[in-house]
Amino acid sequence: MKHALITGITGQDGSYLAEFLLGKPDYTVHGLVRRSSTLNRQRIDHLTSDPELRERFHLHYADLADASSLAMLVETLQPDEVYNLGAQSHVRVSFDQPIYTADVVGTGTMRILEAVRHLNRTKAVRFYQASSSEMYGSAPPPQTMETPFHPRSPYACAKLYGHWQTVNYREAYGLFACSGILFNHESPRRGESFVTRKITLGATRIKEGLQKKLVMGNIDSKRDWGFAGDYVRAMWMMLQQDKPDDYIVATGETYTVRQFLEWTFGMLDLDYRDYVEFDPRYMRPSEVDVLLGDPSKAKAVLGWEPEVDIHGLIKMMVENDLEIARREKYAQGYQTV
Ligand code: NDP
Ligand code: GDR
């Protein structure tokens, strides 16, 4: 039995990765959760409540800001694989909370790397670091493994620190440590304040008459959007190689937020221009204009291929959020179709 420890298990990627690993009969999954006053485990409820997984799925309290909790957890569990997905992951929010973001995202990575390095065991632990295309920032597209980084937010700077620490722990201590430079990936489980989910939730609520307008920031920026379910598979593949290395995971296609709006509203027979308003509140002090990743190394070495394209992704998210909007409407006492 392999033991995997996932930080960020309550998040989008953590939930998909846990599901993916538990789909393999030889994995026990341990998730790090932090204490909150209300439970925030909706994305993993189906796993915690599955009686068949009772022996193979466990949650433990710890925090990336708390080195001793990480050291204790890693020492107690003796994991074979550690996936560090925990983060204050919102770029816009990182401008409001730069020091907290640096602590959790940057130093937090260092804390868990230290816990892994000091683990008293002979068999090598495999470590995955959730790095980000945001590290490329203003570097011109396409961004490849050779493109120099130019981060444009406190979040991106903190991720870059985590990335280089991961590389350094590999080089200095021989740790099996991989940094996955993942471009944007979305799903029906995407956090509601990220742009794609904000759009699919807003458009479906507008369709059901629950909302009149959708207020947005810069809709001319371009992103390389994939499906989170495809991307967690790449994380696992990196840790199954003979040698540790870093990889870009992306689709190799880029679209504007405006196009995402057009396709989402179009799928609901609506014209986004009738509903979208601009609010400077959603602008960032420094924006990342175009992200377009080159996934050729991941494809060639890992054999990774994405299975969902942008239109499949939008369809999946719209169907999910239409269902949510209809339930909300029904709860309000309207007649539903
Ligand atoms: P989410 O924001 O959905 O999830 C973040 C997770 O981190 C949550 O489980 C959250 O817990 C946890 N977390 C936050 N702060 C702490 C802390 N102090 N200690 C322990 N855990 C903490 O992110 P995603 O799932 O989208 O992303 C996963 C990782 O991949 C993140 O590191 C992100 O920065 C990175 N990434 C994401 C990309 C994307 O497009 N999604 C692209 C590239 C990188 P809680 O539920 O309690 O808040
Ligand atoms: P990003 O994702 O910053 O790329 O980081 P996000 O969805 O927040 O923004 C994408 C682009 O959309 C523009 N935008 C808006 N964004 C939000 N959130 N809300 C709006 O109303 C809005 N209007 C326009 C943004 O300015 C931006 O250009 C995500 C996160 O998951 C990171 O953790 C991850 O590392 C990167 O993707 C890769």
Side-chain angles (χ1 to χ4, degrees), residues 12-13 87-93 130-135 153 155-156 159 181-186 190-199 214-225 256-258 261 277-279 281-284 286-291:
Q12 172 188 257
D13 290 8
Q88 187 304 92
S89 74
H90 204 285
V91 174
R92 174 69 191 83
V93 171
S131 292
S132 166
S133 52
E134 282 293 301
M135 300 187 311
S153 64
Y155 166 82
K159 277 288 178 191
I181 306 175
L182 271 53
F183 283 61
N184 298 54
H185 45 278
E186 321 293 312
R190 183 59 143 152
E192 298 177 4
S193 63
F194 295 98
V195 79
T196 56
R197 190 76 199 287
K198 181 171 167 178
I199 292 171
L214 183 60
V215 183
M216 306 285 306
N218 172 24
I219 64 172
D220 291 316
S221 58
K222 295 178 95 173
R223 289 292 182 274
D224 179 330
W225 283 296
T256 57
V257 174
R258 190 186 294 279
L261 279 164
E277 286 179 357
F278 171 72
D279 189 330
R281 190 155 59 100
Y282 295 108
M283 298 294 281
R284 291 149 191 210
S286 44
E287 176 64 283
V288 170
D289 293 324
V290 188
L291 288 175

Side-chain angles (χ1 to χ4, degrees), residues 4 8 23 34 42 91 121-122 163 179 193 214 216 233 253 272 279-280 316 332:
R34 53 188 187 146
Q42 301 86 330
V91 174
R121 60 182 280 175
T122 44
H163 167 76
S179 176
S193 63
L214 183 60
M216 306 285 306
R233 203 169 60 245
E253 292 177 15
Y272 81 94
D279 189 330
M316 191 191 292
Q332 286 183 7

Side-chain angles (χ1 to χ4, degrees), residues 164-175:
W164 282 122
Q165 288 296 358
T166 303
V167 173
N168 187 241
Y169 272 59
R170 183 170 71 220
E171 293 174 354
Y173 308 118
L175 202 73

Side-chain angles (χ1 to χ4, degrees), residues 256-272:
T256 57
V257 174
R258 190 186 294 279
Q259 279 169 298
F260 198 99
L261 279 164
E262 192 183 322
W263 290 328
T264 302
F265 278 77
M267 204 168 275
L268 295 161
D269 297 320
L270 299 172
D271 185 335
Y272 81 94

Side-chain angles (χ1 to χ4, degrees), residues 1-4 24-29 55-56 80 123:
M1 196 51 95
K2 276 189 184 174
H3 288 262
K24 299 181 180 299
D26 56 337
Y27 270 87
T28 292
V29 172
E55 302 299 316
R56 294 201 294 126
D80 301 283
K123 197 171 138 219

